[in-house]
Amino acid sequence: LFGPTQVHSINHSKYVFVIVDDYSRYTWTLFLKHKSDTFEMFKIFAKRIKTSTDLKIKNIRSDHGGEFENELFTNFCNKKGIIHNFSFPRTPQQNGVVERKNRTLQECARTLLNSSDLPKNFWAEAVATACYVLNRVTLRPMTKHTCYEMFYKRKPKITYFRIFGSKCFILNTKDNLGNFDAKADEGIFIGYSDRSKAYQIFNKRTNLIEESLH
């Protein structure tokens, strides 16, 4: 977990819950408004993993932060048969995989924001995009496979990648348009949907994040 950030995201998040698969190094980023939301988010994540991949979480490793070392986490792990390992206090190197991933995601997100001149409250979208891209282009050490390929057993497609922060236009399919009304709204490309094969666009007219293929 890293945060709290100095600036709220567009969706009012202040923390990022980073989860890394130890075998493939495939990474998930979950955004939280409060540190106390960590356990509920982990419960949702564990159920989603089991449903979508038929895989069961066997072990988890974390530091001794109060958001991980508590009665709720202990009871949940005992019920699901999950072994919860902790790194030794004041030795972050024992949890070095996720510590390095946190730093990489933050550096990538900073680069995306600075290169696109977007406001800092787009930081969550930058982190999510960095994670999405890194999963599909980073080779797992000592192998010739990406993290995505090792986790999902198939090669990722990257032909649809676009430049973060670039100007784009969204086909307006929601409003009843007149004969001479503009058919598209101007937007900013801010990432990829994790629910469907679509782009995430910040609509400059409505100030809302929309998903679109058009």
Side-chain angles (χ1 to χ4, degrees), residues 168-173 183-188 201-204 208 210-214:
C168 57
F169 295 89
I170 320 161
L171 187 64
N172 187 345
T173 58
K183 289 186 176 181
D185 292 331
E186 184 177 337
I188 302 171
I201 311 294
F202 179 75
N203 190 320
K204 296 176 74 172
L208 296 174
E210 300 180 9
E211 293 186 356
S212 176
L213 271 179
H214 307 290

Side-chain angles (χ1 to χ4, degrees), residues 120-152:
K120 289 182 180 179
N121 60 339
F122 282 93
W123 66 263
E125 286 67 35
V127 169
T129 301
C131 182
Y132 187 95
V133 172
L134 288 172
N135 278 334
R136 287 157 178 77
V137 302
T138 304
L139 293 179
R140 179 73 167 88
M142 309 301 292
T143 76
K144 295 183 179 179
H145 305 294
T146 62
C147 304
Y148 181 97
E149 188 175 356
M150 292 192 71
F151 188 81
Y152 286 106

